[in-house]
Amino acid sequence: MGGVTEPAIRVRQNAWTLSQSDPWHPTIYWYERAFDVLKKNEDVNDPRSLLAIANIHGTELDPNQWPPQIGVRGWNACQHASWYFLPWHRIYLHYYETILRDIIDKKLHGPSDWALPFWFYDPTTPATLALPPAFLAPLNRDGDENALYTSRRETSIMAGGRVNKDDVETSGWPNRFSSQSPFTPTFGGPQTGWSHRGSTVGSLEREPHGLVHGDVGGPFGLMSLFETAAQDPIFWLHHANIDRLWDVWRNGQGHQNPIDSAWLTRPFNFGFGADQLSMLVGQTVDTTAAPLDYRYEGVPVPTVPSVGGGLGLDGGPEEAVVEDIAPELVGASDGPVPLTGSRTSVRVDVTPPGGPLGLAPEEPPAHVFLTLQNVRGKDVGMRSYAVYIEAPSDVELDSMPHLLAGRFSTFGVMEASQSDEWEPGNGLTFSFDITSIVQGLQAVDAWDPATLNVTVVPQTEVGQGEPGVLEIGQIGVYYG
Ligand code: C2O
């Protein structure tokens, strides 16, 4: 093997750190140049056009107008509300990065080892909550039209405003990557089959992922819909950060990726022609192995258990598997709850569980989950909401973080409300682990086991003339 060297592991860097030395740091400069090449290619039948790449994520084009090579699920294929959300987007980023690197190297004669930077909106460093400056300037470094600029973003963001700091807090993620139950809160999403629109959203997909889509896209911008999101050049830096956060989570104590073969051996195909890429989910778990060959600046590479046969099929490792017990419904709202432009409170009656989780009435449950089930909408712009438990009606809720169950945006709700031959259109479900809130209330004798008050507070201005409807099908309380 003399002379053959290991492929270099490329490092994806923090776009804000780069921007501080130079808004047009070479990594960002070459990104703009290459994105411009994709954007100027308006031939949707050419896999190296921005539209052909973005349509893999989502498109409104009729399948009859798709290039024949792309096949029936080659476009409109992003995986959401599913345990495939993270690996699918990891492969998608790799597909995109490989094309850009090739354009930068071969066509633009730039560096040969370019890697996608990430946008780390760090709540402890407020300046990073704005878009990096290269995404706001109408002109690029050479004084030409800047391909990273688009007016189809939230107006305040384009004026240099910041995403909501509370939307990018990353504490309190579940230890569990996935669950068979759609009501158990998970980090990565529930166990599903192919899932473009999906049903239950994993915690990372909800916070900060979906919230940042909303903060950047605003009511009707590119980032606010599956069908347009990947046309915004910031989409890719946002997703690189989400991909990085997966590694950050993996480095946490007791955090394991799934070892199920349904996850590991799931194939996904991208693109067509010379750039066509096909990968198994099992090939995404170690980013420093071929074909991915990258890592993130500042994140130690998570140790990956050596799995038999490369994919954990013939005798996987001994892993500390977190028990997966289906939670039991103990209370539900009487009917649908409309989501409006003002604060809404709903009282849910709770009856002690009778099933396997049966408890003596005074016994506190081990886990309490709150679910906002089947959130559906039509013809409304992007919105986000915060959800509180036992919120006093006369108090500013910003001052009550100990009662905050979590936040969500409606990114994906419009999509998940439409049915097609594969998916029923039942909307999205958000599930929150409220155990520590309940324990806090118990500690001060303020917990009533027979009832739970849930308050949903809009975080965004709701457009006056918006004709559409948005509602939660049911609010559920589960013991686990
Ligand atoms: Cu497939 Cu951030 O979306």
Side-chain angles (χ1 to χ4, degrees), residues 183 199-201 206 337 339 369-375 385-387 405-408 427-432 454-456 471-478:
F183 304 115
S199 53
T200 301
V201 181
R206 187 185 72 232
V337 178
L339 283 168
F369 304 143
L370 173 73
T371 58
L372 308 186
Q373 291 162 223
N374 307 108
V375 177
Y385 290 89
V387 185
R407 294 165 191 275
F408 69 95
L428 290 184
T429 290
F430 302 99
S431 63
F432 304 89
V454 179
T455 301
V456 184
E471 67 175 27
I472 307 171
Q474 185 180 68
I475 297 180
V477 182
Y478 288 78

PDB file of all heavy atoms in Angstrom, residues 183 199-201 206 337 339 369-375 385-387 405-408 427-432 454-456 471-478:
ATOM      1  N   PHE A 183     -45.440   8.892  21.687  1.00  0.00           N
ATOM      2  CA  PHE A 183     -45.717   9.866  22.746  1.00  0.00           C
ATOM      3  C   PHE A 183     -44.550  10.060  23.705  1.00  0.00           C
ATOM      4  O   PHE A 183     -44.566  10.953  24.542  1.00  0.00           O
ATOM      5  CB  PHE A 183     -46.990   9.469  23.498  1.00  0.00           C
ATOM      6  CG  PHE A 183     -48.155   9.323  22.563  1.00  0.00           C
ATOM      7  CD1 PHE A 183     -48.770   8.097  22.366  1.00  0.00           C
ATOM      8  CD2 PHE A 183     -48.595  10.414  21.828  1.00  0.00           C
ATOM      9  CE1 PHE A 183     -49.818   7.959  21.463  1.00  0.00           C
ATOM     10  CE2 PHE A 183     -49.633  10.288  20.915  1.00  0.00           C
ATOM     11  CZ  PHE A 183     -50.249   9.060  20.732  1.00  0.00           C
ATOM     12  N   SER A 199     -45.084  12.333  11.839  1.00  0.00           N
ATOM     13  CA  SER A 199     -46.094  12.642  12.836  1.00  0.00           C
ATOM     14  C   SER A 199     -45.487  13.254  14.091  1.00  0.00           C
ATOM     15  O   SER A 199     -45.800  14.386  14.433  1.00  0.00           O
ATOM     16  CB  SER A 199     -46.907  11.390  13.171  1.00  0.00           C
ATOM     17  OG  SER A 199     -46.050  10.338  13.531  1.00  0.00           O
ATOM     18  N   THR A 200     -44.576  12.554  14.782  1.00  0.00           N
ATOM     19  CA  THR A 200     -44.059  13.116  16.030  1.00  0.00           C
ATOM     20  C   THR A 200     -42.633  13.619  15.847  1.00  0.00           C
ATOM     21  O   THR A 200     -41.765  12.930  15.334  1.00  0.00           O
ATOM     22  CB  THR A 200     -44.087  12.064  17.155  1.00  0.00           C
ATOM     23  OG1 THR A 200     -45.432  11.628  17.320  1.00  0.00           O
ATOM     24  CG2 THR A 200     -43.604  12.665  18.457  1.00  0.00           C
ATOM     25  N   VAL A 201     -42.413  14.844  16.309  1.00  0.00           N
ATOM     26  CA  VAL A 201     -41.154  15.533  16.079  1.00  0.00           C
ATOM     27  C   VAL A 201     -40.186  15.255  17.231  1.00  0.00           C
ATOM     28  O   VAL A 201     -40.552  15.410  18.396  1.00  0.00           O
ATOM     29  CB  VAL A 201     -41.433  17.050  15.968  1.00  0.00           C
ATOM     30  CG1 VAL A 201     -40.162  17.819  15.712  1.00  0.00           C
ATOM     31  CG2 VAL A 201     -42.456  17.312  14.869  1.00  0.00           C
ATOM     32  N   ARG A 206     -37.258  19.779  16.904  1.00  0.00           N
ATOM     33  CA  ARG A 206     -38.146  20.870  17.337  1.00  0.00           C
ATOM     34  C   ARG A 206     -37.351  22.084  17.803  1.00  0.00           C
ATOM     35  O   ARG A 206     -37.648  23.215  17.429  1.00  0.00           O
ATOM     36  CB  ARG A 206     -39.029  20.341  18.477  1.00  0.00           C
ATOM     37  CG  ARG A 206     -40.106  21.305  18.891  1.00  0.00           C
ATOM     38  CD  ARG A 206     -40.884  20.811  20.092  1.00  0.00           C
ATOM     39  NE  ARG A 206     -40.110  20.889  21.309  1.00  0.00           N
ATOM     40  CZ  ARG A 206     -39.925  19.874  22.155  1.00  0.00           C
ATOM     41  NH1 ARG A 206     -40.481  18.707  21.942  1.00  0.00           N
ATOM     42  NH2 ARG A 206     -39.188  20.036  23.221  1.00  0.00           N
ATOM     43  N   VAL A 337     -57.911  22.333  20.256  1.00  0.00           N
ATOM     44  CA  VAL A 337     -57.582  23.622  20.865  1.00  0.00           C
ATOM     45  C   VAL A 337     -57.035  24.531  19.764  1.00  0.00           C
ATOM     46  O   VAL A 337     -55.993  24.242  19.187  1.00  0.00           O
ATOM     47  CB  VAL A 337     -56.510  23.430  21.963  1.00  0.00           C
ATOM     48  CG1 VAL A 337     -56.125  24.773  22.567  1.00  0.00           C
ATOM     49  CG2 VAL A 337     -56.991  22.449  23.030  1.00  0.00           C
ATOM     50  N   LEU A 339     -55.060  27.394  17.917  1.00  0.00           N
ATOM     51  CA  LEU A 339     -53.845  28.165  18.194  1.00  0.00           C
ATOM     52  C   LEU A 339     -54.015  29.521  17.546  1.00  0.00           C
ATOM     53  O   LEU A 339     -54.068  29.631  16.319  1.00  0.00           O
ATOM     54  CB  LEU A 339     -52.623  27.448  17.624  1.00  0.00           C
ATOM     55  CG  LEU A 339     -52.135  26.251  18.439  1.00  0.00           C
ATOM     56  CD1 LEU A 339     -51.123  25.442  17.634  1.00  0.00           C
ATOM     57  CD2 LEU A 339     -51.520  26.710  19.757  1.00  0.00           C
ATOM     58  N   PHE A 369     -45.316  13.134  30.738  1.00  0.00           N
ATOM     59  CA  PHE A 369     -45.118  13.701  29.406  1.00  0.00           C
ATOM     60  C   PHE A 369     -46.360  14.494  29.006  1.00  0.00           C
ATOM     61  O   PHE A 369     -47.489  14.089  29.301  1.00  0.00           O
ATOM     62  CB  PHE A 369     -44.908  12.598  28.362  1.00  0.00           C
ATOM     63  CG  PHE A 369     -43.776  11.644  28.670  1.00  0.00           C
ATOM     64  CD1 PHE A 369     -43.891  10.296  28.367  1.00  0.00           C
ATOM     65  CD2 PHE A 369     -42.598  12.096  29.257  1.00  0.00           C
ATOM     66  CE1 PHE A 369     -42.854   9.407  28.639  1.00  0.00           C
ATOM     67  CE2 PHE A 369     -41.551  11.223  29.539  1.00  0.00           C
ATOM     68  CZ  PHE A 369     -41.682   9.867  29.230  1.00  0.00           C
ATOM     69  N   LEU A 370     -46.119  15.597  28.332  1.00  0.00           N
ATOM     70  CA  LEU A 370     -47.208  16.390  27.779  1.00  0.00           C
ATOM     71  C   LEU A 370     -47.134  16.294  26.263  1.00  0.00           C
ATOM     72  O   LEU A 370     -46.056  16.459  25.690  1.00  0.00           O
ATOM     73  CB  LEU A 370     -47.046  17.850  28.209  1.00  0.00           C
ATOM     74  CG  LEU A 370     -48.019  18.827  27.560  1.00  0.00           C
ATOM     75  CD1 LEU A 370     -49.405  18.652  28.155  1.00  0.00           C
ATOM     76  CD2 LEU A 370     -47.530  20.254  27.729  1.00  0.00           C
ATOM     77  N   THR A 371     -48.247  16.019  25.617  1.00  0.00           N
ATOM     78  CA  THR A 371     -48.230  15.941  24.153  1.00  0.00           C
ATOM     79  C   THR A 371     -49.219  16.934  23.551  1.00  0.00           C
ATOM     80  O   THR A 371     -50.341  17.097  24.045  1.00  0.00           O
ATOM     81  CB  THR A 371     -48.610  14.531  23.652  1.00  0.00           C
ATOM     82  OG1 THR A 371     -49.909  14.205  24.150  1.00  0.00           O
ATOM     83  CG2 THR A 371     -47.612  13.489  24.119  1.00  0.00           C
ATOM     84  N   LEU A 372     -48.779  17.610  22.510  1.00  0.00           N
ATOM     85  CA  LEU A 372     -49.684  18.412  21.682  1.00  0.00           C
ATOM     86  C   LEU A 372     -49.833  17.595  20.410  1.00  0.00           C
ATOM     87  O   LEU A 372     -48.916  17.528  19.592  1.00  0.00           O
ATOM     88  CB  LEU A 372     -49.090  19.781  21.385  1.00  0.00           C
ATOM     89  CG  LEU A 372     -48.596  20.602  22.586  1.00  0.00           C
ATOM     90  CD1 LEU A 372     -48.184  21.995  22.134  1.00  0.00           C
ATOM     91  CD2 LEU A 372     -49.657  20.695  23.683  1.00  0.00           C
ATOM     92  N   GLN A 373     -50.966  16.917  20.294  1.00  0.00           N
ATOM     93  CA  GLN A 373     -51.123  15.912  19.250  1.00  0.00           C
ATOM     94  C   GLN A 373     -51.850  16.462  18.028  1.00  0.00           C
ATOM     95  O   GLN A 373     -52.797  17.249  18.163  1.00  0.00           O
ATOM     96  CB  GLN A 373     -51.893  14.701  19.810  1.00  0.00           C
ATOM     97  CG  GLN A 373     -51.072  13.908  20.833  1.00  0.00           C
ATOM     98  CD  GLN A 373     -51.892  12.997  21.723  1.00  0.00           C
ATOM     99  OE1 GLN A 373     -51.650  12.938  22.924  1.00  0.00           O
ATOM    100  NE2 GLN A 373     -52.851  12.277  21.155  1.00  0.00           N
ATOM    101  N   ASN A 374     -51.427  16.001  16.864  1.00  0.00           N
ATOM    102  CA  ASN A 374     -52.105  16.339  15.615  1.00  0.00           C
ATOM    103  C   ASN A 374     -52.301  17.844  15.459  1.00  0.00           C
ATOM    104  O   ASN A 374     -53.413  18.323  15.262  1.00  0.00           O
ATOM    105  CB  ASN A 374     -53.455  15.608  15.529  1.00  0.00           C
ATOM    106  CG  ASN A 374     -53.284  14.112  15.752  1.00  0.00           C
ATOM    107  OD1 ASN A 374     -53.674  13.578  16.789  1.00  0.00           O
ATOM    108  ND2 ASN A 374     -52.644  13.436  14.821  1.00  0.00           N
ATOM    109  N   VAL A 375     -51.208  18.564  15.542  1.00  0.00           N
ATOM    110  CA  VAL A 375     -51.259  20.005  15.267  1.00  0.00           C
ATOM    111  C   VAL A 375     -51.390  20.147  13.748  1.00  0.00           C
ATOM    112  O   VAL A 375     -50.542  19.673  12.991  1.00  0.00           O
ATOM    113  CB  VAL A 375     -49.983  20.712  15.776  1.00  0.00           C
ATOM    114  CG1 VAL A 375     -50.017  22.194  15.407  1.00  0.00           C
ATOM    115  CG2 VAL A 375     -49.832  20.509  17.279  1.00  0.00           C
ATOM    116  N   TYR A 385     -44.572  29.036  19.299  1.00  0.00           N
ATOM    117  CA  TYR A 385     -45.297  29.087  20.568  1.00  0.00           C
ATOM    118  C   TYR A 385     -44.430  28.550  21.692  1.00  0.00           C
ATOM    119  O   TYR A 385     -43.570  27.691  21.475  1.00  0.00           O
ATOM    120  CB  TYR A 385     -46.567  28.219  20.483  1.00  0.00           C
ATOM    121  CG  TYR A 385     -47.630  28.783  19.572  1.00  0.00           C
ATOM    122  CD1 TYR A 385     -47.644  28.475  18.219  1.00  0.00           C
ATOM    123  CD2 TYR A 385     -48.601  29.657  20.060  1.00  0.00           C
ATOM    124  CE1 TYR A 385     -48.608  28.999  17.367  1.00  0.00           C
ATOM    125  CE2 TYR A 385     -49.576  30.189  19.220  1.00  0.00           C
ATOM    126  CZ  TYR A 385     -49.569  29.865  17.874  1.00  0.00           C
ATOM    127  OH  TYR A 385     -50.522  30.398  17.035  1.00  0.00           O
ATOM    128  N   ALA A 386     -44.687  29.041  22.903  1.00  0.00           N
ATOM    129  CA  ALA A 386     -44.075  28.477  24.111  1.00  0.00           C
ATOM    130  C   ALA A 386     -45.192  27.821  24.910  1.00  0.00           C
ATOM    131  O   ALA A 386     -46.335  28.291  24.900  1.00  0.00           O
ATOM    132  CB  ALA A 386     -43.403  29.572  24.925  1.00  0.00           C
ATOM    133  N   VAL A 387     -44.864  26.735  25.596  1.00  0.00           N
ATOM    134  CA  VAL A 387     -45.870  25.948  26.319  1.00  0.00           C
ATOM    135  C   VAL A 387     -45.511  25.918  27.811  1.00  0.00           C
ATOM    136  O   VAL A 387     -44.385  25.526  28.166  1.00  0.00           O
ATOM    137  CB  VAL A 387     -45.903  24.497  25.774  1.00  0.00           C
ATOM    138  CG1 VAL A 387     -47.034  23.716  26.439  1.00  0.00           C
ATOM    139  CG2 VAL A 387     -46.046  24.480  24.264  1.00  0.00           C
ATOM    140  N   ALA A 405     -42.547  24.119  29.545  1.00  0.00           N
ATOM    141  CA  ALA A 405     -42.404  22.742  29.046  1.00  0.00           C
ATOM    142  C   ALA A 405     -41.504  22.719  27.815  1.00  0.00           C
ATOM    143  O   ALA A 405     -40.748  21.774  27.608  1.00  0.00           O
ATOM    144  CB  ALA A 405     -43.777  22.169  28.699  1.00  0.00           C
ATOM    145  N   GLY A 406     -41.590  23.759  26.996  1.00  0.00           N
ATOM    146  CA  GLY A 406     -40.765  23.821  25.793  1.00  0.00           C
ATOM    147  C   GLY A 406     -41.399  24.736  24.769  1.00  0.00           C
ATOM    148  O   GLY A 406     -42.403  25.402  25.048  1.00  0.00           O
ATOM    149  N   ARG A 407     -40.778  24.769  23.604  1.00  0.00           N
ATOM    150  CA  ARG A 407     -41.233  25.639  22.527  1.00  0.00           C
ATOM    151  C   ARG A 407     -41.360  24.826  21.254  1.00  0.00           C
ATOM    152  O   ARG A 407     -40.703  23.802  21.101  1.00  0.00           O
ATOM    153  CB  ARG A 407     -40.188  26.737  22.274  1.00  0.00           C
ATOM    154  CG  ARG A 407     -40.032  27.679  23.395  1.00  0.00           C
ATOM    155  CD  ARG A 407     -38.747  28.485  23.241  1.00  0.00           C
ATOM    156  NE  ARG A 407     -38.530  29.198  24.482  1.00  0.00           N
ATOM    157  CZ  ARG A 407     -39.084  30.387  24.748  1.00  0.00           C
ATOM    158  NH1 ARG A 407     -39.784  31.012  23.838  1.00  0.00           N
ATOM    159  NH2 ARG A 407     -38.903  30.940  25.925  1.00  0.00           N
ATOM    160  N   PHE A 408     -42.156  25.320  20.355  1.00  0.00           N
ATOM    161  CA  PHE A 408     -42.217  24.677  19.040  1.00  0.00           C
ATOM    162  C   PHE A 408     -42.574  25.715  18.000  1.00  0.00           C
ATOM    163  O   PHE A 408     -43.157  26.751  18.321  1.00  0.00           O
ATOM    164  CB  PHE A 408     -43.238  23.522  19.029  1.00  0.00           C
ATOM    165  CG  PHE A 408     -44.670  23.953  19.135  1.00  0.00           C
ATOM    166  CD1 PHE A 408     -45.446  24.130  17.991  1.00  0.00           C
ATOM    167  CD2 PHE A 408     -45.266  24.191  20.377  1.00  0.00           C
ATOM    168  CE1 PHE A 408     -46.779  24.535  18.081  1.00  0.00           C
ATOM    169  CE2 PHE A 408     -46.601  24.589  20.470  1.00  0.00           C
ATOM    170  CZ  PHE A 408     -47.358  24.763  19.324  1.00  0.00           C
ATOM    171  N   GLY A 427     -51.167  15.774  10.680  1.00  0.00           N
ATOM    172  CA  GLY A 427     -50.492  16.859  11.388  1.00  0.00           C
ATOM    173  C   GLY A 427     -49.313  16.369  12.208  1.00  0.00           C
ATOM    174  O   GLY A 427     -48.932  15.202  12.155  1.00  0.00           O
ATOM    175  N   LEU A 428     -48.718  17.286  12.970  1.00  0.00           N
ATOM    176  CA  LEU A 428     -47.537  16.956  13.765  1.00  0.00           C
ATOM    177  C   LEU A 428     -47.893  16.832  15.244  1.00  0.00           C
ATOM    178  O   LEU A 428     -48.815  17.483  15.725  1.00  0.00           O
ATOM    179  CB  LEU A 428     -46.475  18.048  13.625  1.00  0.00           C
ATOM    180  CG  LEU A 428     -45.765  18.158  12.279  1.00  0.00           C
ATOM    181  CD1 LEU A 428     -44.673  19.230  12.356  1.00  0.00           C
ATOM    182  CD2 LEU A 428     -45.158  16.819  11.856  1.00  0.00           C
ATOM    183  N   THR A 429     -47.128  16.001  15.932  1.00  0.00           N
ATOM    184  CA  THR A 429     -47.267  15.853  17.375  1.00  0.00           C
ATOM    185  C   THR A 429     -45.968  16.283  18.045  1.00  0.00           C
ATOM    186  O   THR A 429     -44.879  15.927  17.586  1.00  0.00           O
ATOM    187  CB  THR A 429     -47.622  14.387  17.712  1.00  0.00           C
ATOM    188  OG1 THR A 429     -48.957  14.142  17.263  1.00  0.00           O
ATOM    189  CG2 THR A 429     -47.531  14.111  19.205  1.00  0.00           C
ATOM    190  N   PHE A 430     -46.101  17.094  19.092  1.00  0.00           N
ATOM    191  CA  PHE A 430     -44.936  17.523  19.868  1.00  0.00           C
ATOM    192  C   PHE A 430     -45.063  16.933  21.264  1.00  0.00           C
ATOM    193  O   PHE A 430     -46.134  17.034  21.881  1.00  0.00           O
ATOM    194  CB  PHE A 430     -44.881  19.050  19.959  1.00  0.00           C
ATOM    195  CG  PHE A 430     -44.820  19.725  18.610  1.00  0.00           C
ATOM    196  CD1 PHE A 430     -45.967  20.243  18.028  1.00  0.00           C
ATOM    197  CD2 PHE A 430     -43.621  19.823  17.919  1.00  0.00           C
ATOM    198  CE1 PHE A 430     -45.921  20.852  16.778  1.00  0.00           C
ATOM    199  CE2 PHE A 430     -43.562  20.425  16.672  1.00  0.00           C
ATOM    200  CZ  PHE A 430     -44.714  20.957  16.099  1.00  0.00           C
ATOM    201  N   SER A 431     -43.994  16.302  21.757  1.00  0.00           N
ATOM    202  CA  SER A 431     -44.091  15.741  23.110  1.00  0.00           C
ATOM    203  C   SER A 431     -42.981  16.305  23.987  1.00  0.00           C
ATOM    204  O   SER A 431     -41.842  16.497  23.535  1.00  0.00           O
ATOM    205  CB  SER A 431     -44.054  14.214  23.061  1.00  0.00           C
ATOM    206  OG  SER A 431     -42.829  13.766  22.556  1.00  0.00           O
ATOM    207  N   PHE A 432     -43.343  16.609  25.216  1.00  0.00           N
ATOM    208  CA  PHE A 432     -42.434  17.279  26.151  1.00  0.00           C
ATOM    209  C   PHE A 432     -42.347  16.459  27.437  1.00  0.00           C
ATOM    210  O   PHE A 432     -43.366  15.981  27.940  1.00  0.00           O
ATOM    211  CB  PHE A 432     -42.965  18.672  26.512  1.00  0.00           C
ATOM    212  CG  PHE A 432     -43.212  19.559  25.319  1.00  0.00           C
ATOM    213  CD1 PHE A 432     -44.454  19.560  24.674  1.00  0.00           C
ATOM    214  CD2 PHE A 432     -42.218  20.389  24.828  1.00  0.00           C
ATOM    215  CE1 PHE A 432     -44.695  20.377  23.577  1.00  0.00           C
ATOM    216  CE2 PHE A 432     -42.446  21.206  23.731  1.00  0.00           C
ATOM    217  CZ  PHE A 432     -43.681  21.211  23.106  1.00  0.00           C
ATOM    218  N   VAL A 454     -52.499  23.766  31.070  1.00  0.00           N
ATOM    219  CA  VAL A 454     -51.516  23.947  29.995  1.00  0.00           C
ATOM    220  C   VAL A 454     -51.778  25.288  29.316  1.00  0.00           C
ATOM    221  O   VAL A 454     -52.913  25.581  28.929  1.00  0.00           O
ATOM    222  CB  VAL A 454     -51.659  22.804  28.961  1.00  0.00           C
ATOM    223  CG1 VAL A 454     -50.665  22.968  27.822  1.00  0.00           C
ATOM    224  CG2 VAL A 454     -51.498  21.446  29.642  1.00  0.00           C
ATOM    225  N   THR A 455     -50.731  26.098  29.180  1.00  0.00           N
ATOM    226  CA  THR A 455     -50.890  27.409  28.552  1.00  0.00           C
ATOM    227  C   THR A 455     -49.970  27.512  27.344  1.00  0.00           C
ATOM    228  O   THR A 455     -48.779  27.213  27.440  1.00  0.00           O
ATOM    229  CB  THR A 455     -50.557  28.535  29.552  1.00  0.00           C
ATOM    230  OG1 THR A 455     -51.438  28.417  30.664  1.00  0.00           O
ATOM    231  CG2 THR A 455     -50.733  29.907  28.928  1.00  0.00           C
ATOM    232  N   VAL A 456     -50.547  27.910  26.215  1.00  0.00           N
ATOM    233  CA  VAL A 456     -49.782  28.041  24.987  1.00  0.00           C
ATOM    234  C   VAL A 456     -49.711  29.529  24.642  1.00  0.00           C
ATOM    235  O   VAL A 456     -50.742  30.200  24.557  1.00  0.00           O
ATOM    236  CB  VAL A 456     -50.449  27.239  23.849  1.00  0.00           C
ATOM    237  CG1 VAL A 456     -49.618  27.298  22.588  1.00  0.00           C
ATOM    238  CG2 VAL A 456     -50.644  25.785  24.277  1.00  0.00           C
ATOM    239  N   GLU A 471     -54.683  24.432  14.624  1.00  0.00           N
ATOM    240  CA  GLU A 471     -55.207  23.924  15.884  1.00  0.00           C
ATOM    241  C   GLU A 471     -54.461  22.684  16.354  1.00  0.00           C
ATOM    242  O   GLU A 471     -53.856  21.961  15.568  1.00  0.00           O
ATOM    243  CB  GLU A 471     -56.711  23.627  15.788  1.00  0.00           C
ATOM    244  CG  GLU A 471     -57.037  22.479  14.862  1.00  0.00           C
ATOM    245  CD  GLU A 471     -58.538  22.125  14.871  1.00  0.00           C
ATOM    246  OE1 GLU A 471     -59.376  23.002  15.142  1.00  0.00           O
ATOM    247  OE2 GLU A 471     -58.838  20.940  14.590  1.00  0.00           O
ATOM    248  N   ILE A 472     -54.509  22.479  17.683  1.00  0.00           N
ATOM    249  CA  ILE A 472     -53.999  21.250  18.276  1.00  0.00           C
ATOM    250  C   ILE A 472     -55.181  20.288  18.314  1.00  0.00           C
ATOM    251  O   ILE A 472     -56.254  20.633  18.833  1.00  0.00           O
ATOM    252  CB  ILE A 472     -53.524  21.489  19.726  1.00  0.00           C
ATOM    253  CG1 ILE A 472     -52.522  22.648  19.797  1.00  0.00           C
ATOM    254  CG2 ILE A 472     -52.923  20.213  20.324  1.00  0.00           C
ATOM    255  CD1 ILE A 472     -52.189  23.083  21.229  1.00  0.00           C
ATOM    256  N   GLY A 473     -55.034  19.080  17.762  1.00  0.00           N
ATOM    257  CA  GLY A 473     -56.137  18.121  17.765  1.00  0.00           C
ATOM    258  C   GLY A 473     -56.499  17.705  19.180  1.00  0.00           C
ATOM    259  O   GLY A 473     -57.671  17.610  19.544  1.00  0.00           O
ATOM    260  N   GLN A 474     -55.477  17.455  19.991  1.00  0.00           N
ATOM    261  CA  GLN A 474     -55.721  17.042  21.367  1.00  0.00           C
ATOM    262  C   GLN A 474     -54.476  17.309  22.201  1.00  0.00           C
ATOM    263  O   GLN A 474     -53.357  17.112  21.733  1.00  0.00           O
ATOM    264  CB  GLN A 474     -56.039  15.543  21.412  1.00  0.00           C
ATOM    265  CG  GLN A 474     -56.420  15.048  22.787  1.00  0.00           C
ATOM    266  CD  GLN A 474     -56.721  13.554  22.785  1.00  0.00           C
ATOM    267  OE1 GLN A 474     -55.843  12.714  22.596  1.00  0.00           O
ATOM    268  NE2 GLN A 474     -57.980  13.214  23.012  1.00  0.00           N
ATOM    269  N   ILE A 475     -54.695  17.750  23.429  1.00  0.00           N
ATOM    270  CA  ILE A 475     -53.587  17.842  24.382  1.00  0.00           C
ATOM    271  C   ILE A 475     -53.669  16.606  25.254  1.00  0.00           C
ATOM    272  O   ILE A 475     -54.737  16.274  25.779  1.00  0.00           O
ATOM    273  CB  ILE A 475     -53.705  19.126  25.235  1.00  0.00           C
ATOM    274  CG1 ILE A 475     -53.585  20.352  24.331  1.00  0.00           C
ATOM    275  CG2 ILE A 475     -52.636  19.132  26.337  1.00  0.00           C
ATOM    276  CD1 ILE A 475     -53.676  21.679  25.068  1.00  0.00           C
ATOM    277  N   GLY A 476     -52.558  15.892  25.402  1.00  0.00           N
ATOM    278  CA  GLY A 476     -52.567  14.661  26.185  1.00  0.00           C
ATOM    279  C   GLY A 476     -51.559  14.726  27.329  1.00  0.00           C
ATOM    280  O   GLY A 476     -50.528  15.399  27.245  1.00  0.00           O
ATOM    281  N   VAL A 477     -51.887  14.039  28.417  1.00  0.00           N
ATOM    282  CA  VAL A 477     -50.959  13.882  29.537  1.00  0.00           C
ATOM    283  C   VAL A 477     -50.694  12.387  29.682  1.00  0.00           C
ATOM    284  O   VAL A 477     -51.631  11.589  29.687  1.00  0.00           O
ATOM    285  CB  VAL A 477     -51.526  14.453  30.855  1.00  0.00           C
ATOM    286  CG1 VAL A 477     -50.505  14.315  31.985  1.00  0.00           C
ATOM    287  CG2 VAL A 477     -51.956  15.897  30.681  1.00  0.00           C
ATOM    288  N   TYR A 478     -49.428  12.026  29.738  1.00  0.00           N
ATOM    289  CA  TYR A 478     -49.023  10.618  29.805  1.00  0.00           C
ATOM    290  C   TYR A 478     -48.140  10.381  31.019  1.00  0.00           C
ATOM    291  O   TYR A 478     -47.324  11.250  31.367  1.00  0.00           O
ATOM    292  CB  TYR A 478     -48.238  10.212  28.548  1.00  0.00           C
ATOM    293  CG  TYR A 478     -49.101  10.095  27.314  1.00  0.00           C
ATOM    294  CD1 TYR A 478     -49.513  11.222  26.612  1.00  0.00           C
ATOM    295  CD2 TYR A 478     -49.499   8.846  26.844  1.00  0.00           C
ATOM    296  CE1 TYR A 478     -50.308  11.115  25.479  1.00  0.00           C
ATOM    297  CE2 TYR A 478     -50.295   8.727  25.716  1.00  0.00           C
ATOM    298  CZ  TYR A 478     -50.697   9.866  25.041  1.00  0.00           C
ATOM    299  OH  TYR A 478     -51.484   9.757  23.919  1.00  0.00           O
TER     300      TYR A 478
END
